[in-house]
Amino acid sequence: MTATAYPLTWPQNMPRTKGRVSSRFKTGLNAAIKNVRGALTLFANDSGKAVKDIVISSNVSLGVDKPSDPGVAVWFTWDGLSVCIAVDRYPKVEDNLQAIYMIIDARRTELRHGGLNIVRATFTGFAALPAPARKSWQEVLRLTNVPGHNIDREMVEQAFRELAKGAHPDRGGSETAMAELNIARDEALKEL
């Protein structure tokens, strides 16, 4: 995955936070960016391994410093690992960025007390994993065990309507789940 500074590039293997909580951080946006960059430099020095290709990704732009999606993802390469630390727990971009600074600083503590292998194992959890294999439209619409495999357009539409009740963002689902359903329905109707 290619990370961009704007708009936010969120890692596909990391779920989004449903309810945000306020933080006690008192750090402004510029200071939080400086903290993250400084912590990555110190981490590289401590570990003896370069930190490269740093991208701080968010929805902050020149015209919008308080976006509706305050998530932040910091992407970088370290010791052959493509790493992404992403936080959207707090309602302010600067607080999420400061949380990432704290996470990086915690890796420095692990490095001092546990060594390089401990940190390598920890960063494996932050690895920027490829997206999981896509499901077939039959799997998404839950039409894999249809007796006789005589699936018709009406069955597809009925399965879609039923699943959309729970997948729609307005009904507790997500945009991702609804998009997956729409794509599955379109593929099914095209094939049938």
Side-chain angles (χ1 to χ4, degrees), residues 2-13:
T2 304
T4 59
Y6 177 86
L8 173 63
T9 306
W10 192 261
Q12 294 181 10
N13 61 324

Side-chain angles (χ1 to χ4, degrees), residues 78 81 107 110 115-127:
W78 174 79
L81 288 172
R107 300 301 74 85
E110 285 177 349
L116 200 54
N117 289 329
I118 295 289
V119 175
R120 208 175 269 123
T122 303
F123 269 169
T124 301
F126 291 121

